[in-house]
Amino acid sequence: MTSICVNSKISGTGTGRITTKTRETVLYSGREDNHHFEGVAFILKKGMEKKLIEWKPINSRLLKARFKGRHNNLTVIQCYAPTNESGDKIKDAFYDQLQSEIISSSNHDILIVMGDLNAKVGNENTGLERVMGKHGCGCMNNNGERLVDICSLNNLVIGGTLFPHLLTHKLTWNTPNGRDKNQIDHILVNGKWRRSLIDVKVRRGADVNSDHHLVIALLKVKLRSTGKTLTGIKWFNTDKLKDSKV
């Protein structure tokens, strides 16, 4: 079984790649200063680094990685979106950058966009059947509208709304006093691979010192090892070397 864990709102600064004592690989992208608790990261299970083709630290809110698959490669974009109360300029900048990274991803890849999107999408999907199911929570807010719009534009599906779980297995965040609970962490997959998404479910047992719960997605995809991992790799058509004119 392959395993990728992602984190939002990390406390580290700058960008980098480290290996833990237990051989997990951590890819992270944070702010250049430590004045804000803001950043994103991937934690790759031991051996998973062999399947990593490339990774791109975009900013403290976005991190992108690509993995080698047996039949199709996998691109994952980890997000930490501005809160619903943030200004429109901050939100626009985030979603413009996210859109840029989505359209620059290969059309042949399985694309997953995930993380703390601070968006409530609700359970009303009339006219949005290709974007979401009927099993979301609460009522859609402004961030939810923005998320639905970017999903509609890029043929993405909000996985957590597709599966009929109990509320305790759908609500991803709660305030320290336990009064407010929402579904604001999401896992999106491109519509072409919707049937490969087996389940999305909240797990409450892990002690991760956070007001967010773990969200687990089961995706039917086979990965394989690749060669040397590069950041910002460029691809060349080597078949042209067979042409004597070239």
Side-chain angles (χ1 to χ4, degrees):
M1 176 181 292
T2 56
S3 178
I4 305 171
C5 178
V6 297
N7 293 279
S8 300
K9 249 182 339 186
I10 63 171
S11 58
T13 59
T15 63
R17 172 176 177 167
I18 60 174
T19 302
T20 68
K21 293 181 179 179
T22 51
R23 308 303 297 172
E24 288 88 6
T25 299
V26 180
L27 313 174
Y28 64 92
S29 179
R31 293 177 61 97
E32 293 304 320
D33 57 60
N34 59 359
H35 297 156
H36 297 271
F37 194 53
E38 182 179 297
V40 284
F42 287 106
I43 303 175
L44 308 182
K45 182 181 178 181
K46 179 181 177 181
M48 190 69 183
E49 74 283 354
K50 297 177 182 178
K51 303 168 177 62
L52 180 64
I53 300 174
E54 58 178 325
W55 67 285
K56 179 183 178 182
I58 302 161
N59 53 40
S60 60
R61 292 190 178 275
L62 291 167
L63 177 62
K64 186 176 183 179
R66 194 170 186 230
F67 300 89
K68 185 69 175 178
R70 182 171 298 179
H71 303 294
N72 294 85
N73 295 332
L74 172 68
T75 294
V76 184
I77 303 175
Q78 165 64 359
C79 309
Y80 172 42
T83 63
N84 195 59
E85 292 73 26
S86 299
D88 287 339
K89 288 185 179 180
I90 297 176
K91 293 182 183 182
D92 290 344
F94 170 79
Y95 279 101
D96 286 347
Q97 185 66 64
L98 177 57
Q99 176 63 22
S100 176
E101 295 305 324
I102 290 174
I103 62 177
S104 68
S105 302
S106 172
N107 292 330
H108 301 291
D109 284 11
I110 302 172
L111 174 64
I112 296 177
V113 179
M114 62 194 302
D116 181 2
L117 287 154
N118 277 307
K120 295 192 291 184
V121 297
N123 55 15
E124 177 54 58
N125 72 337
T126 302
L128 299 171
E129 292 84 359
R130 294 186 61 182
V131 172
M132 56 183 286
K134 298 181 178 180
H135 302 290
C137 302
C139 298
M140 188 177 295
N141 60 8
N142 178 259
N143 274 2
E145 294 173 1
R146 288 173 178 266
L147 182 61
V148 166
D149 286 344
I150 203 168
C151 287
S152 298
L153 185 61
N154 298 285
N155 189 28
L156 295 170
V157 183
I158 304 173
T161 66
L162 301 178
F163 304 99
H165 294 304
L166 297 173
L167 279 178
T168 189
H169 292 142
K170 291 193 292 185
L171 296 170
T172 67
W173 171 84
N174 56 269
T175 54
N177 60 16
R179 182 178 58 190
D180 299 318
K181 300 179 181 180
N182 289 312
Q183 183 186 40
I184 60 174
D185 302 86
H186 299 282
I187 297 175
L188 321 176
V189 63
N190 43 348
K192 179 180 178 181
W193 299 96
R194 179 172 179 160
R195 294 183 181 275
S196 296
L197 191 62
I198 300 172
D199 193 17
V200 176
K201 191 175 184 179
V202 169
R203 300 287 187 181
R204 292 175 171 264
D207 181 10
V208 292
N209 192 28
S210 172
D211 52 2
H212 292 257
H213 299 296
L214 293 180
V215 184
I216 306 294
L218 296 180
L219 187 72
K220 188 186 297 183
V221 56
K222 294 182 179 179
L223 302 181
R224 68 180 183 184
S225 297
T226 185
K228 186 177 180 180
T229 302
L230 298 176
T231 300
I233 189 171
K234 294 183 179 180
W235 299 99
F236 299 94
N237 184 1
T238 56
D239 286 339
K240 287 188 177 181
L241 295 176
K242 299 176 183 178
D243 187 340
S244 58
K245 294 181 181 179
V246 176

